[in-house]
Amino acid sequence: MKQQELLNIPPFTEGINRVDGKLKVTGAAKYAAEFNLPNMAWAVLVPSTITKGTISTIDTKAAERAPGVLKVITYLNAPKLPGYDSGKDPSKPPTGGGPLRLFVDNTVKFNGHPIAMVVADSFERATYAASLVKATYNKESFQTDASKVLDKADTPKGPRFADYKRGNPEEWQNAPVKVEEEYIIPIEVHNPMELSAIVAHWTADDKVTVYDKTQGVKSTQNAIAQAFKLPPDNVQVITKFVGGAFGNALRTWPHETATVMAAQMIKRPVKLVLTREMQFNSVGFRPYTWQKIRIGATADGKFTGLIHEARAQTSSFEEFTEGTVNMARFMYACPNVGTIYKITPVDTNTPTWMRGPGEATGAFALESAIDELAYKLNLDPIELRIRNHADTDPENGKPFSTKYLKEAYEMGADKIGWKNRPSKPGTLTEDGWLIGYGMGSGVFGAGRGRATVKATMQSDGILLLQTAVTDIGVGTGTAMTQIAADAFGIPSSKIKFELGDSSLPPSPTQGGSMITSTVGGAVHDACLALKEKFQQLIGNGGSDKPDYAKVLKDKGLQQLDVTITSSGSSEMRDFSSYSYSVHFVQVKVHPKTGVTRINKVVSVADSGHIVSPKTARSQVVGGAIGGIGMALMEEAVIDHRFGRYVNADLAGYHVPVHADIPQIDALFVNKPDYKVNPMGAKGMGEIALIGMSAAVANAIYNATGKRFRELPITPDKVMI
Amino acid sequence: MDEQYNEGLPDGQGQSAGNPRRDFLKKSTLLTAVALTPGVAVKAAENHVDEHVAAVFEKLPVDIEINGVKHNVLVEPRVTLLDLLREQLNLTGTKKGCDYGQCGACTVHVDGHRVNSCLTLAVMVDGKKVTTIEGLAKGDELHPMQEAFIKHDGFQCGYCTPGQIMSAVACVREGHAGSEMEIREYMSGNICRCGAYPNIVNAIMEVKAGGQQV
């Protein structure tokens, strides 16, 4: 014990341990690629070596003759999938264009576009045979550098993306103090530790089971059913564990459909695991985005006008959009606000939402600009934010369901020791390092969708809850168990939560910080309904907390169950609901080498009642670390002469490692918001990252007096 | 004797193969090799007969003790220890995160030392003892490091976890868990994208401080 005190182990938060913890620490948790089926074959993709053009010849003879090869699939021999002819593809994003489809024609749309799939009886044989596929191409000129075609950016279709105006946004120009600056983030790649993978198994001519890495078993079920024109019930998607995703498994990508097709062609189960390199061009990324903030304030720090403009990359064949500029509309009280959002096509694969998504990109610009304005005004950045605090939603005039942002500022400032922050940058040193403090805030919508949960009291007294949600690692099963324990009034050890199977009652895709609210709400409602059913069974005068197993036995029942579909109340429409985060960072910067070290981090979440403290804390810590990566190291670099990534692996694409990360304080305001759901809980997956990169950049400015408006802030930039 | 080599073969190809390498050597003496006219050899190569022949004799017998269980497998020399574990022996607790030795998800112990199994060919561990995450617990009794990971929530998605735990055990055994800074340095080969680093370090510190046998 004494030794522990010496090692200064911080107390961990309360709350139950992760319900699937034992499976994860013993290696028993099974991820998509780990369902090894009898007679299974292995598939390997052959990527294009050019960036844009058409395949003129493709020679598969050598590959076909290689030992163990069962099939080589190209556009020349791939069957036409019935669902590709017509119909809406549920996997495609809400705006224009169409999703990529593999092996339908000879076009190459980006570097690494798969041109063939080799299926063999072992992984090594498939890999070797894939190297034997040779293609010649008609090359076309291409552009992969979005920064060169920003002037070609266009407003996406749909009212959500139209230019927004409140009052006269140009008012910023007449202010006595103003900031007009540009901010850039590079391409960032999710790079979860688990590689995208799928095992497809046709169990009958018209029935297929897939073990897939997806954030939504129902959406993948629909996408595959659509492509193969099958009734959805004939497609079963199983995703028991997801090894992180951060958005890259929100869609059903073409390699998944192609593997299902391969399994159909060879009449054997087929496994495909993408390589790490393919994670960069096959499953989305955070797009390169240029932003400009124009903001003006009165001498006492009242915002008079704000314009947030963004131009981001999309692919040549599909529009990808996200909420990059949304925060500017409602985060601060400002009478004159404008937002402009445009996308520009380049010859890469389509980007997709990456944790925090567009809001994280937008918050880097907005929260950096506000920091710049604070220095110009000679005001504390927190004080400037408080002077522009929005008491009601300035975008729609609605009251907030709850908002404890000011409390969050205070909690974080106290914890990090904000009072020690030098008001003049570059003035605090320690052992030859420059010390600086910075903060940034984040916000994300807190909603509740529709989910269906089946609650069953079994004869052994275990409450079984079932729904087709996935857990990408955030601890959904743990949070749901906690919610059920509270709602049903039994210990969490008596609850089993089953997820990750499309044949279970429907749940939405895990993303957008919605699951605790949506599925948790349905779990809560199902528990209450089952409790009610028991009360009716027992009759008046029965115990409020009966021995459920005994009741079932006495009544001669095997089990008692309810299936409940629930969603948010109509009352929600009268309010604006958001989760907020405030991140505080203390950095040290070495003036000669330009190295930045993160000394201290305090992240505060105002995300309603915290239902599962232990996993919630981990989620906030993890988001902060993701934000540190975004700020200091993450950048996928394309050599635009060839259109190819030059750092498509984890040695070249830097993410934070143990040595980069100190102890991190995660604090919670922990005040419930019962308007959103009966638990009073709001999402926190996105806010954990949103605003963090600005906090780091602002801290580096405080330490050095140098302002960095382009991420990542690597030592080479700092030392110059 | 023959059956023991079947384990690592796809499609049960080992059923009648015996020891194909030895058989091949028996059947194709140097003399018969010389007797092959160059023309025949070229033609065989063109038709990829050579590859089919190679496929039979290029498998090597490997004896490995994995988690206390002896395995005699026939593997191609290009098969990594990681793929042998995951794809042939169905020991999927060891994870593939990059295949380039850059992430540490595939960390196992070979004769007590931590190695990246994706950078280790299966033939290199012939005659050695391998411990994977599946072999760390004693039956139902978890290893102290596994217990500490659960207690400190040293993971989220769990995919890097087996590698982190195998590395963490080795880190303590090597004497590299003397301080928080030292642990962070010696655990930096194991990437966690969910960002469980502080919790992992706390788990290791607790095990180290507890002084249990790891």
Side-chain angles (χ1 to χ4, degrees):
Chain A
M1 195 60 206
K2 221 173 184 182
Q3 222 176 338
Q4 285 198 26
E5 281 162 18
L6 282 175
L7 282 165
N8 190 27
I9 298 172
F12 46 89
T13 52
E14 291 170 30
I16 61 171
N17 289 334
R18 221 166 267 267
V19 293
D20 48 12
K22 193 174 176 188
L23 293 175
K24 286 176 175 175
V25 301
T26 55
K30 284 184 92 169
Y31 301 80
E34 296 166 1
F35 290 85
N36 289 321
L37 306 179
N39 202 31
M40 187 178 75
W42 283 258
V44 168
L45 289 168
V46 181
S48 76
T49 54
I50 66 158
T51 298
K52 191 178 183 182
T54 51
I55 302 165
S56 41
T57 64
I58 184 157
D59 181 2
T60 58
K61 276 194 216 77
E64 279 159 5
R65 285 179 190 162
V69 170
L70 300 161
K71 200 84 192 171
V72 180
I73 302 167
T74 69
Y75 79 96
L76 293 169
N77 67 346
K80 210 170 175 198
L81 296 188
Y84 276 6
D85 283 340
S86 62
K88 191 174 170 292
D89 188 326
S91 69
K92 80 186 224 192
T95 52
L100 182 72
R101 285 162 172 174
L102 297 185
F103 317 133
V104 290
D105 58 32
N106 66 345
T107 60
V108 171
K109 295 187 164 84
F110 55 87
N111 206 301
H113 183 154
I115 58 165
M117 176 187 265
V118 177
V119 188
D121 62 4
S122 81
F123 169 66
E124 291 77 16
R125 287 169 156 188
T127 302
Y128 172 61
S131 73
L132 302 175
V133 175
K134 300 293 174 208
T136 58
Y137 303 92
N138 291 315
K139 288 188 200 171
E140 292 168 22
S141 64
F142 58 85
Q143 178 58 271
T144 52
D145 188 350
S147 74
K148 296 282 193 294
V149 286
L150 290 175
D151 55 334
K152 294 198 174 72
D154 219 341
T155 306
K157 293 157 205 75
R160 287 167 60 208
F161 303 106
D163 291 356
Y164 170 82
K165 260 186 197 175
R166 177 164 82 231
N168 175 20
E170 296 297 338
E171 267 301 320
W172 73 274
Q173 295 191 49
N174 306 324
V177 186
K178 51 199 171 191
V179 168
E180 179 182 15
E181 294 294 349
E182 294 177 12
Y183 303 85
I184 289 169
I185 68 147
I187 294 174
E188 294 163 13
V189 182
H190 311 70
N191 273 321
M193 297 319 296
E194 183 199 16
L195 301 164
S196 296
I198 180 168
V199 178
H201 179 208
W202 289 81
T203 53
D205 283 349
D206 62 347
K207 277 192 178 153
V208 65
T209 299
V210 301
Y211 304 86
D212 189 26
K213 172 166 188 166
T214 174
Q215 292 175 241
V217 286
K218 292 304 286 184
S219 66
T220 295
Q221 177 191 38
N222 287 332
I224 292 170
Q226 183 76 48
F228 292 84
K229 279 260 162 75
L230 294 170
D233 283 352
N234 287 21
V235 178
Q236 187 180 16
V237 179
I238 294 171
T239 307
K240 288 298 173 189
F241 287 89
V242 179
F246 314 108
N248 86 348
L250 282 168
R251 300 184 62 185
T252 304
W253 295 100
H255 71 265
E256 298 167 74
T257 316
T259 307
V260 177
M261 180 175 78
Q264 191 179 39
M265 287 171 82
I266 68 160
K267 298 188 181 347
R268 284 170 69 163
V270 173
K271 179 198 285 192
L272 173 71
V273 180
L274 296 187
T275 62
R276 178 54 65 185
E277 190 176 4
M278 286 180 182
Q279 300 295 304
F280 285 72
N281 55 17
S282 308
V283 286
F285 50 89
R286 196 193 297 281
Y288 169 96
T289 306
W290 168 95
Q291 297 177 80
K292 190 167 193 173
I293 303 280
R294 304 170 178 94
I295 186 166
T298 60
D300 64 349
K302 281 288 215 181
F303 298 163
T304 59
L306 166 63
I307 301 175
H308 189 171
E309 184 181 358
R311 295 179 188 207
Q313 118 190 53
T314 189
S315 68
S316 63
F317 49 92
E318 191 176 30
E319 287 189 355
F320 170 73
T321 56
E322 53 184 350
T324 310
V325 297
N326 295 1
M327 181 175 171
R329 300 177 191 164
F330 58 79
M331 185 64 178
Y332 298 105
C334 178
N336 305 302
V337 175
T339 66
I340 303 158
Y341 176 72
K342 292 180 178 178
I343 51 175
T344 189
V346 291
D347 297 308
T348 60
N349 200 351
T350 310
T352 199
W353 302 278
M354 180 167 159
R355 192 176 189 179
E359 286 78 353
T361 304
F364 166 62
L366 182 62
E367 293 293 289
S368 291
I370 288 175
D371 198 68
E372 299 199 45
L373 190 63
Y375 282 97
K376 282 194 174 179
L377 287 160
N378 202 20
L379 261 183
D380 183 309
I382 299 175
E383 177 58 28
L384 176 59
R385 284 170 172 84
I386 289 172
R387 287 187 191 181
N388 293 281
H389 183 267
D391 297 327
T392 55
D393 188 333
E395 190 178 1
N396 55 26
K398 290 178 187 176
F400 292 109
S401 53
T402 59
K403 180 177 180 179
Y404 302 104
L405 183 57
K406 287 181 186 170
E407 283 89 333
Y409 290 141
E410 199 179 326
M411 286 170 74
D414 277 355
K415 188 76 187 176
I416 195 110
W418 188 251
K419 61 179 190 302
N420 301 321
R421 166 188 170 271
S423 54
K424 199 170 177 324
T427 54
L428 187 60
T429 58
E430 198 179 285
D431 300 331
W433 292 72
L434 295 160
I435 309 289
Y437 292 77
M439 56 84 63
S441 33
V443 61
F444 200 81
R448 179 180 173 192
R450 175 189 294 267
T452 306
V453 169
K454 182 177 183 186
T456 307
M457 179 52 74
Q458 303 178 152
S459 59
D460 57 2
I462 297 289
L463 174 63
L464 175 67
L465 299 155
Q466 295 169 298
T467 188
V469 71
T470 62
D471 182 355
I472 56 175
V474 297
T476 303
T478 310
M480 295 308 127
T481 300
Q482 189 73 65
I483 289 167
D486 293 344
F488 206 79
I490 56 173
S492 57
S493 59
K494 293 276 186 193
I495 294 164
K496 190 166 179 272
F497 184 77
E498 192 187 349
L499 48 63
D501 186 332
S502 62
S503 61
L504 298 173
S507 249
T509 295
Q510 184 160 55
S513 296
M514 289 277 282
I515 289 299
T516 298
S517 177
T518 301
V519 180
V523 163
H524 177 271
D525 292 352
C527 285
L528 293 193
L530 184 60
K531 228 176 154 178
E532 174 66 26
K533 207 167 172 180
F534 264 105
Q535 287 306 316
Q536 285 170 7
L537 194 67
I538 300 162
N540 288 338
S543 161
D544 185 39
K545 284 191 176 177
D547 178 340
Y548 292 103
K550 189 172 177 299
V551 173
L552 289 176
K553 202 178 169 199
D554 291 349
K555 302 283 177 186
L557 294 171
Q558 271 302 306
Q559 61 176 55
L560 198 64
D561 63 66
V562 294
T563 300
I564 295 288
T565 300
S566 73
S567 51
S569 68
S570 55
E571 190 195 3
M572 272 173 74
R573 273 182 243 132
D574 301 331
F575 295 90
S576 275
S577 294
Y578 293 99
S579 289
Y580 297 88
S581 60
V582 189
H583 305 282
F584 291 84
V585 180
Q586 189 209 57
V587 298
K588 62 176 182 181
V589 181
H590 196 267
K592 289 212 170 64
T593 61
V595 166
T596 299
R597 305 291 302 164
I598 304 289
N599 270 351
K600 283 186 196 171
V601 178
V602 177
S603 285
V604 191
D606 168 24
S607 55
H609 169 60
I610 304 303
V611 296
S612 175
K614 203 172 214 175
T615 56
R617 179 186 174 276
S618 292
Q619 209 178 353
V620 169
V621 168
I625 293 170
I628 290 168
M630 181 180 181
L632 296 181
M633 41 194 106
E634 293 188 38
E635 178 177 19
V637 181
I638 294 176
D639 183 335
H640 295 297
R641 294 171 301 169
F642 306 105
R644 183 191 287 247
Y645 286 105
V646 294
N647 63 341
D649 58 50
L650 292 172
Y653 184 93
H654 292 181
V655 299
V657 299
H658 276 283
D660 299 314
I661 301 301
Q663 294 290 340
I664 290 176
D665 283 306
L667 307 180
F668 300 101
V669 177
N670 198 21
K671 288 186 180 169
D673 185 338
Y674 292 117
K675 293 194 176 68
V676 179
N677 56 55
M679 301 83 64
K682 296 199 267 197
M684 62 172 63
E686 321 298 341
I687 56 159
L689 188 146
I690 301 169
M692 185 65 193
S693 58
V696 174
N698 295 341
I700 293 174
Y701 177 77
N702 187 246
T704 64
K706 290 182 191 170
R707 179 62 67 177
F708 297 96
R709 303 185 184 92
E710 183 168 357
L711 299 181
I713 309 169
T714 45
D716 55 310
K717 293 177 187 168
V718 178
M719 69 189 288
I720 296 168
Chain B
M1 179 66 191
D2 288 350
E3 282 74 20
Q4 66 181 332
Y5 289 113
N6 296 346
E7 222 173 342
L9 284 175
D11 286 337
Q13 284 172 10
Q15 295 305 317
S16 58
N19 183 335
R21 191 174 179 228
R22 212 178 312 156
D23 284 357
F24 179 82
L25 292 174
K26 235 187 279 171
K27 285 167 193 161
S28 66
T29 61
L30 189 64
L31 273 176
T32 51
V34 169
L36 276 173
T37 64
V40 172
V42 169
K43 202 165 173 29
E46 274 174 358
N47 291 329
H48 295 272
V49 171
D50 54 336
E51 299 212 352
H52 286 276
V53 172
V56 178
F57 81 85
E58 279 188 350
K59 287 195 172 171
L60 303 174
V62 176
D63 296 339
I64 324 174
E65 186 181 316
I66 304 171
N67 302 331
V69 178
K70 283 190 166 43
H71 292 259
N72 309 109
V73 290
L74 268 178
V75 295
E76 296 175 338
R78 62 187 171 187
V79 174
T80 64
L81 175 57
L82 174 62
D83 289 325
L84 172 69
L85 292 170
R86 284 175 67 81
E87 306 301 333
Q88 300 190 34
L89 302 178
N90 209 26
L91 286 165
T92 55
T94 305
K95 305 304 182 191
K96 180 181 282 192
C98 70
D99 236 3
Y100 298 136
Q102 298 165 348
C103 78
C106 66
T107 305
V108 299
H109 296 170
V110 174
D111 286 349
H113 299 283
R114 50 175 161 169
V115 300
N116 287 328
S117 61
C118 76
L119 292 188
T120 306
L121 294 169
V123 293
M124 292 159 65
V125 295
D126 187 26
K128 296 186 174 172
K129 288 182 181 174
V130 175
T131 307
T132 71
I133 191 72
E134 290 95 340
L136 210 53
K138 286 185 187 133
D140 277 346
E141 190 196 331
L142 293 182
H143 185 279
M145 194 63 78
Q146 292 171 315
E147 292 280 11
F149 266 63
I150 293 175
K151 180 179 167 190
H152 290 274
D153 209 31
F155 46 81
Q156 285 195 57
C157 78
Y159 197 80
C160 74
T161 311
Q164 298 279 359
I165 291 175
M166 297 311 286
S167 230
V169 169
C171 183
V172 174
R173 284 182 190 162
E174 290 159 10
H176 289 143
S179 69
E180 186 178 333
M181 284 299 287
E182 194 183 22
I183 292 168
R184 283 162 55 185
E185 194 65 34
Y186 279 86
M187 286 298 292
S188 280
N190 289 80
I191 297 176
C192 168
R193 189 63 163 149
C194 297
Y197 295 131
N199 297 358
I200 293 169
V201 171
N202 291 341
I204 298 171
M205 286 198 291
E206 182 176 275
V207 172
K208 166 75 177 170
Q212 297 121 302
Q213 183 71 36
V214 295

